[in-house]
Amino acid sequence: MPSYTAPVKDMQFVLHDVLDVSSTGIPGYDELDRDTTAAILDEAAKLAENVLAPLNPVGDAQGCTLENGVVRTPDGFLDAFNQMREGGWPALDCDPEYGGQGLPYLVSTAVGEMFSSANMAFNMYQGLTHGAYNAIHAHGSDEQKATYLPKMVSCEWGGTMNLTEPHCGTDLGLIKTKAEPQEDGTYKITGSKIWISAGEHDMVDNIIHLVLAKIPGGPEGVKGISLFIVPKFMVNQDGSLGDRNAVTCGGLEHKMGIHGNATCVMNYDGATGFLVGEAHKGMRAMFTMMNEARLGVGLQGYAQGAVAYQNALGFAKDRLQGRDVTGAKNPEGPADSIMVHPDVRRNLMDQKALTEGARAFVFWGASLIDQAHRSGDKDAEGVISLLTPVIKGFLTDKGFETAVLAQQTLGGSGFTREWGLEQFVRDARITMIYEGTNGIQSLDLVGRKLAQDGGKHVMAFFDMVKRFIAEHKGQDEAFDAQFLEPLKAASKDLQQAGMFFMQNGMKNPNEALSGSYDFMHLFGHVCLGLMWARMAVAAKAALDGDGADRAFLNAKIATGRYYMARQLPATRTHLARIESGAETVMALDVESF
């Protein structure tokens, strides 16, 4: 059976040595001293390691079952969900007015990594509820917030997001679900939605569905979409539950992974719905939560890579096979551990460098969200909006790749179920698909985000990199060569790619769009290069402190050197692909495929 150990030490390093959270000036961050975050993370680690992780293979093996319209979750899930509720974990960053703890989103992000690594399918039940909470909190009426949010914050009630229909996914302008207005101000919702995570299950008393639908007579396409609250059970004036609404689970999807999470077909047969916000403005309400939701999926991607790496590393240290070519390291035994072999080391270093770099990137992104929301900082909001498709697309691609590398470390054992690596691979695969496929993320990045506000935010990112290099250049010759020069070269590659799009994309949009996926990865590598350079600076500074964990800090610097030398040069390949243009991509007519 696979195991999981929460990376509390590394999280503390990122929070306090790299981000220096308590000194940022973001409201609420002054309370995030080392002792406070350690207390929160240590408690979350206990739940993740001792309760959620042992249930991960159980959920994968059993899956969910649909019985007479009720979805039964795997053995142990309800008890674990009760423990999560009792600990107040779903309420960490929620509004205190509705029973939340009011902690920064960054704290919820760190805890969310642990829970996702331990049991991604399980954590999605509260994750979907949190997303629905966010949308109602931002756009619901005072009455709606008072009615639904307290029970959603406590996770006594669940929540879902209903977007996709059998005939349309990304192009939501094609949805057919209708919302017929009624004399009492409610709407009758009729239609079917598919791939609804946590759409029906037995761990909550009520489920609050957020449903995209069209009011007859409204504008065509996405401009005619409205958002509705459709509760599974109607809620009475006193807050008690009333009659069952006309919404049912019509079936469960049979999936490659995340078996422990119920992925449902939801049928609405004249169900009572309540308009959220303005009519025909549903997409705006949905996109309010998009930065957090997509950052959360990026987190899921690297979190699966992180737990896979832990298990690959444990196997590699114990597995005896072959001898070190420079001389036996275990002469008394029949063989050396496979850790002596350079190619195994390369494999594990790729995993370690991606995982730790991704953690820093996501935590930084979460701090930008806090800065935008808590300080009203529009510049921070612009930067995280730019980086969101990179976080989602690049980190889920790389998280899946990391899980595959971890599986490869185990050889034949990685292909068997008992070691658990194949589950991490299967579970990680969905992160590249949902919340907008990674191809869509790259189109969003190149087609919308680069030019947003006249290109202000991408220029701010480049200035950020330039300032970092200027601040640290010349202090340490080795650091300049190993970190700053590679970062500078990679940033130039990114700028050159952007210039190619500007010079060619206006004349032929395919010149830009055919290179968008490479651009997303190029951007991702530059971001991780910046993170590793920042971590190296922080580790060097911490080495001078009393009681420094020298082994940890030196390993951090060495891992950063590896990323800069072995991974960051991929920017050159991505740039070459981008500059090759659209001709080879679009050369074949449809019949020639």
Side-chain angles (χ1 to χ4, degrees), residues 399-451:
F400 176 75
E401 180 182 308
T402 299
V404 172
L405 288 172
Q407 184 185 37
Q408 187 73 15
T409 307
L410 273 70
S413 297
F415 202 65
T416 64
R417 288 198 169 182
E418 66 178 295
W419 289 90
L421 274 294
E422 59 88 34
Q423 183 189 346
F424 300 139
V425 170
R426 288 186 288 105
D427 286 354
R429 186 64 183 88
I430 186 58
T431 64
M432 303 158 74
I433 297 171
Y434 63 13
E435 204 61 54
T437 65
N438 288 356
I440 293 296
Q441 302 303 318
S442 70
L443 296 180
D444 177 47
L445 174 63
V446 171
R448 293 179 62 243
K449 299 299 175 60
L450 285 184

Side-chain angles (χ1 to χ4, degrees), residues 236-502:
N236 297 322
Q237 288 287 337
D238 62 359
S240 64
L241 297 184
D243 294 336
R244 174 73 185 254
N245 208 351
V247 51
T248 57
C249 175
L252 292 177
E253 301 292 350
H254 300 283
K255 302 165 297 186
M256 175 180 176
I258 55 170
H259 295 158
N261 192 267
T263 306
C264 304
V265 176
M266 301 303 299
N267 295 324
Y268 296 86
D269 300 305
T272 299
F274 305 89
L275 180 66
V276 178
E278 298 178 50
H280 317 308
K281 302 293 184 182
M283 291 302 294
R284 184 170 64 185
M286 277 294 198
F287 275 98
T288 294
M289 52 158 284
M290 209 54 80
N291 283 346
E292 288 189 30
R294 290 179 171 170
L295 184 143
V297 175
L299 180 150
Q300 286 181 330
Y302 86 78
Q304 291 304 290
V307 65
Y309 163 66
Q310 284 189 11
N311 284 272
L313 179 61
F315 179 93
K317 288 180 176 179
D318 292 337
R319 177 69 165 174
L320 301 181
Q321 190 163 291
R323 290 293 189 189
D324 188 332
V325 294
T326 64
K329 295 296 186 290
N330 179 32
E332 302 303 318
D336 293 330
S337 82
I338 62 173
M339 288 293 293
V340 303
H341 304 305
D343 192 60
V344 173
R345 290 292 190 100
R346 172 202 57 79
N347 191 330
L348 291 168
M349 286 296 286
D350 279 348
Q351 296 170 51
K352 180 177 173 65
L354 184 280
T355 296
E356 294 178 11
R359 178 175 297 122
F361 187 16
V362 166
F363 282 22
W364 176 46
S367 73
L368 288 172
I369 289 176
D370 279 329
Q371 187 175 340
H373 291 178
R374 289 172 170 253
S375 302
D377 189 330
K378 295 298 182 183
D379 290 336
E381 185 174 349
V383 172
I384 189 56
S385 181
L386 169 73
L387 296 178
T388 293
V390 182
I391 290 172
K392 195 283 181 185
F394 179 69
L395 294 188
T396 57
D397 276 355
K398 289 298 181 179
F400 176 75
E401 180 182 308
T402 299
V404 172
L405 288 172
Q407 184 185 37
Q408 187 73 15
T409 307
L410 273 70
S413 297
F415 202 65
T416 64
R417 288 198 169 182
E418 66 178 295
W419 289 90
L421 274 294
E422 59 88 34
Q423 183 189 346
F424 300 139
V425 170
R426 288 186 288 105
D427 286 354
R429 186 64 183 88
I430 186 58
T431 64
M432 303 158 74
I433 297 171
Y434 63 13
E435 204 61 54
T437 65
N438 288 356
I440 293 296
Q441 302 303 318
S442 70
L443 296 180
D444 177 47
L445 174 63
V446 171
R448 293 179 62 243
K449 299 299 175 60
L450 285 184
Q452 197 169 38
D453 296 328
K456 173 183 176 181
H457 307 302
V458 72
M459 294 308 299
F461 176 81
F462 288 136
D463 287 343
M464 200 181 303
V465 175
K466 289 177 185 176
R467 284 198 308 272
F468 177 87
I469 293 172
E471 287 171 7
H472 297 93
K473 188 175 178 61
Q475 301 174 20
D476 182 321
E477 187 175 330
F479 181 77
D480 286 358
Q482 294 167 356
F483 287 91
L484 297 186
E485 290 303 321
L487 178 59
K488 182 178 180 180
S491 182
K492 284 185 175 181
D493 288 343
L494 184 62
Q495 293 176 64
Q496 189 170 330
M499 188 63 66
F500 176 85
F501 291 157
M502 289 179 60

Side-chain angles (χ1 to χ4, degrees), residues 3-32:
S3 62
Y4 174 65
T5 301
V8 174
K9 180 190 292 186
D10 199 55
M11 289 181 172
Q12 287 283 81
F13 171 76
V14 174
L15 290 173
H16 298 288
D17 296 286
V18 180
L19 298 178
D20 192 16
V21 291
S22 59
S23 302
T24 60
I26 299 172
Y29 274 41
D30 57 331
E31 300 176 4
L32 299 182

